[in-house]
Amino acid sequence: MTDLTELQAETREIITDLLNDGSDPAALYIIEHHVAHYDFEALEKIAVDAFKAGYEVSEAEEFEDEHGKAIFCFDIISEVELKAEIIDAQQKEILPLIEKHKGLYDGWGTYFEDPNADEDEYGNDGEFFDDDEVEEARLH
């Protein structure tokens, strides 16, 4: 089982570092929770459970671990304020989904948000999720 206390401390450290570096405290952030599994079918089950819980999921990718064994990875994605209690709540929700299928949780990440930028890497509207794309994805 993953140590929530350790994850919470890490979350606070990441947020502090981002804000100390000048990242915009008022921005919405793309939070990517990193998930891995040696069994692709089990990884897919985690992705389905995360999607059913309301999260976006990225395409799975295949890598080799340090021993040359295939490992499959994807991200559970949300767009939220950069607040520790929000990320803590997400971890409390998604960790049981990952553990249920014996997956591996490799923490979370996000991107620096420049408070002086007119637009971000997602365009003028600053939204990661395009409503048309989300609706289209649900139709397939």
Side-chain angles (χ1 to χ4, degrees):
M1 176 135 180
T2 306
D3 183 355
L4 283 174
T5 304
E6 186 177 309
L7 289 175
Q8 290 173 346
E10 183 178 284
T11 292
R12 281 142 186 81
E13 183 179 329
I14 292 169
I15 291 171
T16 298
D17 289 347
L18 275 166
L19 297 177
N20 285 344
D21 287 344
S23 196
D24 187 353
L28 289 178
Y29 285 77
I30 304 305
I31 305 299
E32 300 174 343
H33 296 274
H34 311 300
V35 182
H37 208 299
Y38 287 98
D39 179 339
F40 185 77
E41 289 182 15
L43 185 81
E44 282 184 317
K45 290 176 183 177
I46 297 168
V48 168
D49 285 351
F51 186 78
K52 286 179 180 177
Y55 294 93
E56 294 296 319
V57 296
S58 68
E59 296 271 334
E61 297 182 57
E62 181 178 348
F63 298 98
E64 284 187 4
D65 69 9
E66 61 274 3
H67 305 291
K69 186 174 178 183
I71 188 166
F72 306 94
C73 306
F74 80 100
D75 292 326
I76 297 173
I77 306 168
S78 65
E79 185 176 26
V80 297
E81 295 176 73
L82 191 63
K83 294 187 176 181
E85 58 273 9
I86 294 172
I87 297 167
D88 292 347
Q90 289 180 341
Q91 289 173 324
K92 286 179 184 175
E93 183 175 33
I94 65 175
L95 285 172
L97 304 177
I98 296 167
E99 291 170 356
K100 173 177 142 184
H101 300 289
K102 298 180 177 35
L104 307 168
Y105 180 71
D106 194 28
W108 65 273
T110 191
Y111 303 91
F112 180 87
E113 293 290 341
D114 185 347
N116 300 314
D118 291 333
E119 63 179 61
D120 59 23
E121 63 265 33
Y122 309 112
N124 287 331
D125 61 5
E127 291 186 17
F128 176 70
F129 301 118
D130 179 17
D131 291 336
D132 293 336
E133 288 178 13
V134 171
E135 189 61 34
E136 183 179 308
R138 289 186 180 140
L139 295 175
H140 298 287

